Amino acid sequence: MTDAGTSRFQLDTAVPATLVVAGELSFDTASAALEAIQSALGDTRIQRLDLARVSRADSAGLACVLAVLAGAGRRGQVLEVVHIPSGMQTLAQVCEVDQLIA
């Protein structure tokens, strides 16, 4: 697991083709998380963004995930988001962006 510059979230690439995000995706961490995730996605072998170990997420975390997906799409990289936390899924539904992360 690599420390992504903060103790509130980490990125892990130990699972093949998967980038695991752990910790918080919140207003406090979203900017750093976005930068770290986008950097990690320079490895085009990554096909999944796994959010199973996200302990807390808010609207900034959702925006981070949407920005990651948009960036991947612009690069022609197919990225599947898996294990979306229920709170983030609910927020995505309320904001009517759930189809973008499904």
Side-chain angles (χ1 to χ4, degrees):
M1 183 176 297
T2 59
D3 182 353
T6 179
S7 61
R8 292 189 181 184
F9 78 94
Q10 294 84 35
L11 302 179
D12 186 346
T13 56
V15 177
T18 302
L19 179 62
V20 176
V21 181
E24 295 183 18
L25 284 179
S26 66
F27 283 102
D28 293 334
T29 64
S31 178
L34 177 59
E35 187 176 315
I37 292 167
Q38 288 177 328
S39 177
L41 290 178
D43 179 349
T44 58
R45 295 173 293 176
I46 294 176
Q47 300 171 353
R48 280 178 300 285
L49 183 65
D50 187 341
L51 304 179
R53 294 177 21 206
V54 170
S55 59
R56 186 171 88 78
D58 58 21
S59 59
L62 174 60
C64 174
V65 171
L66 291 171
V68 165
L69 289 170
R74 283 191 299 274
R75 291 186 305 277
Q77 186 175 12
V78 177
L79 187 64
E80 175 187 19
V81 181
V82 297
H83 304 120
I84 302 166
S86 62
M88 182 181 283
Q89 185 65 47
T90 300
L91 184 58
Q93 290 169 340
V94 168
C95 296
E96 298 181 352
V97 296
D98 52 313
Q99 294 300 317
L100 298 175
I101 63 172

